[in-house]
Amino acid sequence: MSRRICIHPCLGVNEPLAAVGRQASYLAHRKLGKARADLGCSPALFADVEEDLLFVRNGLVIVVEACPHRCATHLITQKGGTIHATVDVGEVLARVGVPTDGLPNHHLPLDHPAVVAVADEIVRIANGPNG
Amino acid sequence: MSTSEFKVAVLGCGGIGRLVSTIVRQAVHLIAVDRPGQVVVVSSGSLTGDVPEALAAARGHPLLVIDGCRPRCGSKICQGKGITPAATIYVADVVARGKLSLAGEKREELGAKGMAAARIDWLVADELVSTL
């Protein structure tokens, strides 16, 4: 039986790339399905909510980071989790050619090209050889 | 735009798994947008990542915390980082007091039925500001 996927976005606020990462995590979670994937929540992990501890300690963790601070990585490591892969929102958007100028810093719809591109990358990793 | 030096920091729980997290995020956004120059938004993710600027913002201003669900993660983050909030709002209390229904709303996007959710945002914002 394959391990569950934990999609864990950084959850920054007022940052366009963090907003993209959050919405992309929702979309990737939809695409992968509840039966296979969980959404990791940094505040809950910090608060030692058991479910979230199990996500990062037992699941294949895909971290979605929006800036060099790597907050999600920092927290997951502190809580004894192991990171399987990191999706850097800025790098993905640069690679696929989605411009970041003018992205809203609060909210984007799930069909926004930036959201779709990052979600596709999360799903690609989840469906890879270790996913 | 107001540029008074006195500012209030606002920390929403910033969760992702529940609809209420989206409502908290929207409420924080409204609080800041409606009060330009008066509010510093603090990211829970940045606090858990020990980002110095976020810790300084939370410690350098009166801090209002909005907790979304039962674990009250925003408050726990403050506790863990040695930060004492000036005030705390628990959204479930606001929803219950307002007898508001969240039926049909989605965590990914507060939709058109989301007039109800928007009202909740305002109630949360108003309640939070009333604690000042």
Side-chain angles (χ1 to χ4, degrees):
Chain A
M1 184 173 161
S2 60
R3 291 163 70 188
R4 293 184 65 80
I5 306 289
C6 171
I7 305 165
H8 197 112
C10 70
L11 295 178
V13 294
N14 278 353
E15 293 290 338
L17 298 185
V20 171
R22 184 184 62 244
Q23 294 301 99
S25 296
Y26 281 134
L27 181 57
H29 183 250
R30 271 193 191 179
K31 289 182 173 184
L32 291 168
K34 288 180 186 173
R36 201 174 153 208
D38 300 301
L39 276 172
C41 177
S42 284
L45 182 59
F46 184 90
D48 290 332
V49 173
E50 185 177 5
E51 178 182 60
D52 288 83
L53 287 167
L54 293 175
F55 289 167
V56 301
R57 290 175 181 170
N58 298 338
L60 277 169
V61 180
I62 301 173
V63 174
V64 184
E65 298 280 17
C67 82
H69 288 298
R70 297 287 192 259
C71 296
T73 299
H74 176 85
L75 178 64
I76 290 167
T77 305
Q78 268 189 347
K79 295 293 183 179
T82 302
I83 293 164
H84 169 63
T86 298
V87 173
D88 183 302
V89 174
E91 283 180 10
V92 172
L93 297 185
R95 193 166 65 238
V96 300
V98 175
T100 55
D101 290 348
L103 285 174
N105 68 357
H106 174 60
H107 180 75
L108 300 91
L110 295 189
D111 61 357
H112 190 285
V115 173
V116 173
V118 175
D120 286 348
E121 176 66 4
I122 297 168
V123 171
R124 187 190 67 76
I125 292 169
N127 287 334
N130 298 314
Chain B
M1 176 186 290
S2 169
T3 55
S4 68
E5 290 186 5
F6 177 80
K7 293 184 179 181
V8 173
V10 180
L11 169 68
C13 67
I16 190 166
R18 297 172 190 269
L19 169 61
V20 73
S21 311
T22 305
I23 291 165
V24 170
R25 194 164 52 246
Q26 180 69 8
V28 171
H29 178 67
L30 288 173
I31 290 167
V33 165
D34 291 346
R35 297 162 184 82
Q38 301 173 54
V39 172
V40 177
V41 174
V42 179
S43 154
S44 63
S46 299
L47 288 181
T48 63
D50 290 322
V51 175
E53 294 85 350
L55 291 164
R59 290 174 176 146
H61 305 279
L63 178 68
L64 308 180
V65 176
I66 308 178
D67 282 322
C69 59
R70 194 174 299 168
R72 300 183 188 236
C73 302
S75 293
K76 285 193 176 153
I77 291 169
C78 289
Q79 192 178 6
K81 300 298 177 188
I83 299 163
T84 304
T88 303
I89 295 291
Y90 181 39
V91 171
D93 289 342
V94 179
V95 171
R97 267 200 294 279
K99 296 185 172 62
L100 298 168
S101 169
L102 298 175
E105 285 299 319
K106 292 181 178 167
R107 63 187 182 181
E108 296 90 342
E109 189 154 24
L110 300 180
K113 279 189 182 173
M115 286 305 290
R119 282 181 51 210
I120 292 169
D121 297 340
W122 281 105
L123 286 171
V124 173
D126 287 347
E127 178 149 336
L128 189 53
V129 170
S130 75
T131 66
L132 289 172

